[in-house]
Amino acid sequence: MSQLSVRHLLGIKDITEADIQLIFETADHFKEVLNRPIKKVPSLRDITIANVFFEDSTRTRLSFELAEKRLSADVINFSASGSSVKKGETLLDTVNNILAMKVDMIVMRHSSVGAPHFLSRHIKANIVNAGDGTHEHPTQALLDSFSIREKLGEVAGKKIAIIGDILHSRVALSNIFALQKLGAEVMVCGPSTLIPRYIGELGVKVSHNVRQALEWCDVANVLRIQLERQQGKLFPSLREYTQYFGINKKILESLNKEIVLMHPGPINRGVELSSDAADSGQSIILDQVENGVAVRMAVLYLLASSKE
């Protein structure tokens, strides 16, 4: 298989295990390119990509922009703040105006669930979902699984605990889909108010005890508390959350094995992760950032190569 089964990357739910493996194999080649003295290839030199972000982003936007430039694509950056969106322009009108400038691909982040899916039904350009509300964030899940594969050799058969604010996290859902397609076991852990009521129906284990989750898993992927998405107070205080669900070096050292520690960022140090844990030898957080560029290069290259 040398081509993806889809024209858009809207979510992990829409792609196959073969698609994921193809992305990983392509990312392996691009990671080798990124370690060369000249870190650029001409693969997308005739392609124009627009990064259309309706929500704030640092890592994801920079990672996509760097991936695009490493592939020699022409890049347009759009931010909703200071744009005609503030004047009442619709999403479809905004994107169609960008496409009128002969743009080939759209990388989009939006606060509304399903926004990239809606666009995919109305425009011809390839679309990459860089996060839609609390729904999915497919490239984050791909780079997380790629990082686990790099660290442990394979994902199949491994036990992954996703710990933190599962309810408001698009990263959690995409990771669950990706890890299960690759043959891993998944557990979610957090306060009952931050765990979706029916998440067990996705075939994941559920725990409300962080030590139990850490003792069970091979890899802990720790998520931040998304206060900006919460409607009302879902736990007494950040201090109490840290007391019951925060992970520090002392807890890690008390386990009877060494686990791998991950975080999609941004980290709220001293809340879900202490600095001594985040900066420890068990952490592959910066590896995730590095792998994000290679994985996004692979996604962009494969989508640009796909036929209508």
Side-chain angles (χ1 to χ4, degrees), residues 8 25 30 42 48 55-56 71 73 77 86 90 96 100 140 160 163 166 173 200 206 272 275-276 292 295:
H8 312 286
E25 288 162 16
F30 284 130
T48 303
E55 276 191 326
D56 293 338
L71 291 166
N77 287 311
K86 296 289 184 184
T90 67
N96 275 328
Q140 182 67 47
I160 319 297
I163 301 168
I166 311 299
L173 189 59
V206 179
E272 71 270 10
S275 287
D276 57 6
V295 167

Side-chain angles (χ1 to χ4, degrees), residues 93-127:
D93 282 341
T94 298
V95 173
N96 275 328
N97 274 281
I98 293 169
L99 293 178
M101 301 174 203
K102 307 303 178 189
V103 169
D104 304 290
M105 194 179 298
I106 299 284
V107 175
M108 188 175 81
R109 169 169 288 188
H110 202 283
S111 59
S112 297
V113 171
H117 303 72
F118 166 77
L119 267 192
S120 70
R121 295 192 292 270
H122 291 87
I123 67 174
K124 290 183 179 179
N126 303 98
I127 298 171

Side-chain angles (χ1 to χ4, degrees), residues 211-240:
R211 185 170 189 87
Q212 179 189 53
L214 293 174
E215 288 175 346
W216 173 84
C217 73
D218 300 306
V219 179
N221 197 348
V222 187
L223 308 178
R224 71 182 176 89
I225 298 297
Q226 299 197 33
L227 295 172
E228 73 277 11
R229 296 188 191 277
Q230 293 182 14
Q231 305 290 323
K233 208 164 177 66
L234 298 177
F235 50 86
S237 66
L238 285 177
R239 182 179 177 184
E240 186 160 321

Side-chain angles (χ1 to χ4, degrees), residues 56-92:
D56 293 338
S57 172
T58 303
R59 271 158 308 282
T60 303
R61 185 170 54 80
L62 288 177
S63 183
F64 267 112
E65 188 175 346
L66 191 56
E68 291 150 8
K69 289 179 176 178
R70 293 283 188 248
L71 291 166
S72 303
D74 293 320
V75 180
I76 301 170
N77 287 311
F78 169 91
S79 176
S81 58
S83 74
S84 293
V85 172
K86 296 289 184 184
K87 302 174 186 176
E89 187 172 60
T90 67
L91 169 63
L92 192 55

